[in-house]
Amino acid sequence: LSSFAMPLVRIETSAKLSADDRTKAMKALTKSVAAALGKPEPYMMILLEDGHSMMFGGSEEPCAACSVSSIGRIEEKINEEVCAAICAALADVGVKGERVYVSFSDYPPANFGNNGTVYSKIFAARNAASAKQ
């Protein structure tokens, strides 16, 4: 069940994006990151904040700091695919891949919540319901 839960991609970039570019990037990220993680798109959350004051390597050329949080599916091969997907989406809006950092966090189900509860409880309830069928 954890394979279906809560990927969150948070991106902060110095690039100033139009509303159309922001929407286009978030839609592309939803599709490509969900595919790389093997998680359904309806569970994906993308947070994209543009126009930040940022510097990378002493330059103010557009850059981005990204984090990917998930319950499971955080491992080297998958992380590389996710990183490539993020860099491709950002390149489409003017941020070069070499100016992007991506960090990955694998959360235990008890440490991530939704709808007033935590995923460990959600998974336990789903397992109990499945056992009754």
Side-chain angles (χ1 to χ4, degrees), residues 52-120:
H52 281 276
S53 296
M54 299 173 72
M55 186 173 280
F56 188 111
S59 166
E60 291 182 351
E61 181 181 343
C63 60
C66 313
S67 62
V68 178
S69 304
S70 182
I71 296 173
R73 308 286 296 160
I74 299 294
E75 54 193 69
E76 185 176 6
K77 183 179 180 206
I78 293 169
N79 294 355
E80 188 173 18
E81 290 176 38
V82 170
C83 186
I86 290 171
C87 288
L90 289 173
D92 286 345
V93 294
V95 182
K96 297 175 187 170
E98 63 266 17
R99 298 189 54 78
V100 176
Y101 276 160
V102 182
S103 63
F104 297 88
S105 299
D106 190 354
Y107 282 88
N111 290 356
F112 220 95
N114 175 247
N115 200 23
T117 189
V118 293
Y119 275 97
S120 55

Side-chain angles (χ1 to χ4, degrees), residues 19-36:
D20 286 345
D21 280 347
R22 195 170 27 259
T23 298
K24 181 177 112 178
M26 289 190 294
K27 285 183 177 186
L29 287 160
T30 296
K31 269 193 176 322
S32 60
V33 174

Side-chain angles (χ1 to χ4, degrees), residues 82 91 97 109 122 132:
V82 170
I122 294 168
K132 289 181 183 180

